[in-house]
Amino acid sequence: MEIAKLYLRTADYTTKTSCGIYEIENSKGRVSYKIFAGNEDLHLFLKKNRDKKCKQMAPVFTVGEYKEYPHTEVRKLTSDEIKQYMSER
């Protein structure tokens, strides 16, 4: 979940919409987290991956409304930037 949160802002910026992190479970019970722009994208993923399911069918984390920030850039964060970002969440 924590790693997915790091990628969420990039997904938001790329799609220009508020994305969400969804909890996905495979047929063996392994849980992972995936980012989707919305329920339609989630449904398409589940249709293609029949061995996976999303119990809640809703994001377990989202930032709410998409907001445009000036001087936004997509790049790899340093360790210090990651710590600062996560402490602000």
Side-chain angles (χ1 to χ4, degrees):
M1 171 68 97
E2 296 303 313
I3 293 170
K5 285 181 182 179
L6 295 174
Y7 289 98
L8 188 59
R9 174 67 186 133
T10 301
D12 288 349
Y13 178 73
T14 303
T15 62
K16 303 291 186 204
T17 185
S18 180
C19 297
I21 300 173
Y22 293 77
E23 188 176 86
I24 306 295
E25 187 176 336
N26 71 10
S27 58
K28 296 179 181 178
R30 183 176 181 267
V31 174
S32 61
Y33 297 91
K34 291 194 146 306
I35 298 171
F36 296 104
N39 280 342
E40 186 175 314
D41 291 337
L42 170 65
H43 287 286
L44 286 173
F45 173 81
L46 294 174
K47 189 175 181 181
K48 290 178 185 176
N49 297 276
R50 300 271 183 199
D51 66 323
K52 299 184 188 317
K53 60 186 173 185
C54 180
K55 291 180 182 176
Q56 293 183 3
M57 295 304 287
V60 292
F61 183 83
T62 184
V63 292
E65 250 181 72
Y66 172 71
K67 184 177 177 184
E68 191 71 46
Y69 294 95
H71 311 297
T72 298
E73 63 181 5
V74 177
R75 64 178 176 79
K76 186 174 180 176
L77 298 177
T78 65
S79 295
D80 290 337
E81 289 172 322
I82 292 170
K83 288 175 189 171
Q84 179 183 350
Y85 179 81
M86 295 308 289
S87 71
E88 293 173 357
R89 286 271 166 215

